[in-house]
Amino acid sequence: MYRRTYLLLIVVRLWLALSPSYLHPDENFQGPEVIAGKIFKYPVRLTWEFTSDDPIRSVFPLWPIYGLPMLLLQWLWMGNGNEGEVPPIAVFWTLRAIMFILSFVLEDWAIHELIQSPRHRRVAVLLVASSYVTWTYQTHTFSNAIETLVVAWSLVLIERTIAVPVNTHQTPLLAPAVLGSMVVFGFFNRITFPAFLLIPGLRLIPYYWKSPLAFTVTALSALSTAFVAIALDTAFYSPNQISWSDLFRHPVITPLNNLMYNISPSNLAQHGLHPWYQHILFNLPQLIGPAAILLFTRPHLSLRLYSAISGISVLSIFQHQEARFLLPAVPLILSSVRLPQQKNVLRLWVAAWIIFNLIFGTLMGIYHQGGIVSGQVFMSQQPDATRAIWWKTYMPPIWLLDGKAEVLETRDVMGIPGEELYAELNKIATCDTPADRRNKEYLKEKDGTYLIAPTSATWLDPYLKNKGLDGLRFREVWRHRHHLNLDDMDFAEDGVWNTLKRVIGRRGLAAWRVTKSCN
């Protein structure tokens, strides 16, 4: 029963990993798009984290996670006699498959390593494998997903290091050496990473005190890895080829820049400020649902739980708090709770756990901004497209346009008022006359203006019916049904039921070709 259930959950994880949901722009702009532009020369849009005078994102973790698979894919593509660049969508799905493999192998393996009791291990593995966070966030290209793996394996290495008696004749040095490199890797990936090792790291102090050689190996490994990371970042952000003197005189230390940026309240205010209890009362229950009850009523005290507590406590100090920041804590908590003992209570809890994860798994794994990737692929295939406005969606990945980005201007206007949107479209709409909607002669034109927006945006409804000579004309040319826009909810104005009816009942993303009469 255990094996069949686990295999079923693996299939669910793979299925959702290969579904085109789009959880947050950072899963694209803080990783794949940066490296894809270097390897494949795709036109990309670097965000402010990479273009500011003091860049705060390191490319050091990006190369092994995303760069190596891209290089391998490029080698296979060229080896099979294909010409040109690898299609961006092939790279996109390859990275999703890589993230699934990393989650399936490394995350589950770490749980096996950290839990000694076979019975407790089985429960923990099933809880982690059945979590929608594992199905969705962990299979997307988030730095938080990588942080989750690095935290888990850092705990494994800490356990392996202190498990060896210090009075042995030969002190094993592999675990301390790998631990030093992994800690630096995790720190350059996300500066919040050390927060999860504050309490577990205390266990290393007496061990290192008694074994200076192990400490020396860990320190040397960390320093050498940090040197490589700083060198890569300095070379990446320098306009010219760097020399040894540049590396020592003007190093680019991205974690330091990141820390200085995030301790400034004015900087954090640009991203949204939250109360200190945001993580505990809202974000954590959003991620683990019914397991939050067990965390407070039936916790299993362990190194994993202490790691989660230290991480959440430190992250709660910072005023900008997003749920995905807590991803490393999810498997640590799920592997540190005990199920209810009473059968009736257990059945009720299991039912709540299944329903919770099915709902959020479907929402986040399939529907959440699910049309953006497919929509961008569609736009890359429109020969007439020269201007595209995306309204009330996340910012689309530019690199998925491939060579089309050279002639297609993509504008993300977020959620501007409808009147402003109409005015912008009126400025750039191409000339046309009313034509048969089944006619595709427009594809032969040199210019074309497109609007990509959720079908739940009711403001557009009066204008979509226009077939006359006056005003703008919207011709629907593409639609993706599996798309939900949670940012378009307005409970205060429309009420809860009407809002849900509109957003869910009219779910989808559509592309309209926008024209106007120029006579």
Side-chain angles (χ1 to χ4, degrees):
M1 182 65 180
Y2 164 77
R3 292 182 178 179
R4 289 195 296 268
T5 303
Y6 180 66
L7 289 176
L8 174 62
L9 294 174
I10 293 299
V11 172
V12 173
R13 193 188 315 188
L14 177 61
W15 177 49
L16 293 179
L18 299 180
S19 297
S21 67
Y22 195 36
L23 301 180
H24 194 280
D26 285 355
E27 69 177 275
N28 169 71
F29 292 104
Q30 289 185 1
E33 181 149 333
V34 178
I35 301 301
K38 289 293 182 179
I39 294 179
F40 298 108
K41 308 304 179 184
Y42 299 144
V44 298
R45 176 190 293 164
L46 296 181
T47 57
W48 65 271
E49 293 103 325
F50 297 92
T51 58
S52 63
D53 294 335
D54 298 310
I56 68 172
R57 291 292 173 187
S58 173
V59 298
F60 170 63
L62 305 184
W63 280 106
I65 301 298
Y66 309 126
L68 290 180
M70 289 184 188
L71 289 172
L72 177 60
L73 186 61
Q74 184 184 52
W75 177 73
L76 292 174
W77 179 265
M78 297 176 62
N80 288 329
N82 297 303
E83 297 181 357
E85 296 282 13
V86 180
I89 192 62
V91 179
F92 177 86
W93 292 122
T94 298
L95 294 181
R96 282 287 185 89
I98 292 295
M99 294 303 295
F100 162 77
I101 294 173
L102 291 177
S103 170
F104 167 50
V105 175
L106 296 183
E107 186 176 11
D108 295 11
W109 184 6
I111 298 299
H112 276 272
E113 287 272 346
L114 290 170
I115 301 177
Q116 302 302 319
S117 169
R119 182 178 180 181
H120 184 197
R121 183 190 303 140
R122 288 188 175 187
V123 173
V125 168
L126 288 182
L127 284 178
V128 173
S130 61
S131 169
Y132 87 91
V133 173
T134 304
W135 300 343
T136 57
Y137 284 98
Q138 280 301 128
T139 58
H140 286 227
T141 50
F142 283 111
S143 61
N144 312 90
I146 301 302
E147 183 184 23
T148 301
L149 301 178
V150 179
V151 167
W153 274 94
S154 294
L155 297 181
V156 171
L157 291 171
I158 290 176
E159 292 279 15
R160 288 183 179 181
T161 299
I162 63 178
V164 180
V166 295
N167 57 357
T168 55
H169 296 290
Q170 293 183 347
T171 302
L173 301 178
L174 179 59
V178 177
L179 177 61
S181 295
M182 186 165 291
V183 168
V184 172
F185 181 91
F187 185 52
F188 274 78
N189 178 61
R190 292 193 65 84
I191 62 169
T192 56
F193 165 78
F196 292 92
L197 298 186
L198 284 180
I199 297 179
L202 296 177
R203 300 186 64 183
L204 288 171
I205 295 178
Y207 180 84
Y208 282 148
W209 181 262
K210 297 178 181 179
S211 179
L213 179 59
F215 173 76
T216 302
V217 169
T218 302
L220 290 176
S221 176
L223 289 174
S224 59
T225 305
F227 179 81
V228 173
I230 294 173
L232 282 176
D233 286 341
T234 303
F236 181 84
Y237 289 111
S238 299
N240 303 315
Q241 186 174 359
I242 65 171
S243 61
W244 286 103
S245 60
D246 295 328
L247 187 57
F248 287 100
R249 293 179 182 178
H250 307 288
V252 177
I253 308 177
T254 52
L256 178 60
N257 296 339
N258 198 326
L259 181 62
M260 297 304 296
Y261 179 88
N262 281 281
I263 62 177
S264 172
S266 60
N267 290 335
L268 295 181
Q270 301 177 35
H271 308 278
L273 299 180
H274 305 94
W276 64 269
Y277 51 81
Q278 176 77 22
H279 278 322
I280 297 294
L281 295 185
F282 300 102
N283 293 342
L284 190 60
Q286 177 184 332
L287 294 175
I288 63 176
I293 300 175
L294 300 182
L295 174 62
F296 294 100
T297 59
R298 294 185 58 80
H300 178 79
L301 300 182
S302 63
L303 186 69
R304 304 178 304 281
L305 184 58
Y306 297 145
S307 174
I309 292 174
S310 66
I312 296 173
S313 300
V314 173
L315 289 174
S316 297
I317 298 175
F318 294 91
Q319 292 180 289
H320 179 61
Q321 302 180 17
E322 298 182 29
R324 61 191 174 92
F325 295 171
L326 300 183
L327 291 191
V330 172
L332 303 179
I333 292 175
L334 294 181
S335 62
S336 301
V337 296
R338 294 176 295 171
L339 298 181
Q341 291 182 331
Q342 298 180 2
K343 289 186 177 181
N344 292 336
V345 178
L346 176 61
R347 291 173 182 173
L348 181 63
W349 186 90
V350 170
W353 176 253
I354 293 175
I355 294 173
F356 170 79
N357 286 289
L358 284 178
I359 292 175
F360 277 88
T362 302
L363 173 63
M364 306 304 288
I366 299 176
Y367 286 98
H368 190 270
Q369 300 285 336
I372 291 182
V373 172
S374 301
Q376 197 70 318
V377 173
F378 168 79
M379 291 305 302
S380 71
Q381 299 169 350
Q382 294 301 102
D384 66 312
T386 53
R387 291 171 295 274
I389 288 185
W390 291 72
W391 186 46
K392 291 192 174 185
T393 70
Y394 282 170
M395 184 183 299
I398 299 300
W399 66 287
L400 292 181
L401 291 174
D402 198 3
K404 186 66 179 179
E406 298 177 359
V407 296
L408 175 58
E409 177 190 358
T410 301
R411 293 179 55 192
D412 173 33
V413 297
M414 296 183 288
I416 64 172
E419 294 77 10
E420 295 182 20
L421 172 69
Y422 191 90
E424 289 295 323
L425 289 172
N426 195 46
K427 294 177 183 178
I428 62 176
T430 55
C431 299
D432 196 8
T433 56
D436 184 357
R437 289 185 177 272
R438 293 171 296 177
N439 184 7
K440 292 189 177 182
E441 289 296 316
Y442 67 88
L443 294 175
K444 300 179 181 179
E445 298 183 13
K446 296 181 179 180
D447 297 298
T449 298
Y450 287 79
L451 170 66
I452 300 92
T455 53
S456 60
T458 55
W459 188 91
L460 289 171
D461 290 353
Y463 302 95
L464 299 181
K465 302 176 183 179
N466 180 31
K467 298 181 181 180
L469 294 175
D470 297 329
L472 296 178
R473 291 191 293 276
F474 296 81
R475 175 176 178 177
E476 184 177 324
V477 293
W478 174 85
R479 179 181 289 247
H480 185 88
R481 182 66 172 168
H482 295 159
H483 179 98
L484 276 177
N485 181 28
L486 300 184
D487 295 332
D488 193 26
M489 292 185 174
D490 192 349
F491 295 117
E493 183 174 340
D494 299 335
V496 175
W497 174 249
N498 289 333
T499 298
L500 294 177
K501 183 179 179 181
R502 173 177 59 84
V503 174
I504 298 177
R506 296 184 47 164
R507 62 188 178 276
L509 186 71
W512 293 271
R513 193 173 190 273
V514 185
T515 58
K516 63 182 178 181
S517 176
C518 299
N519 296 332

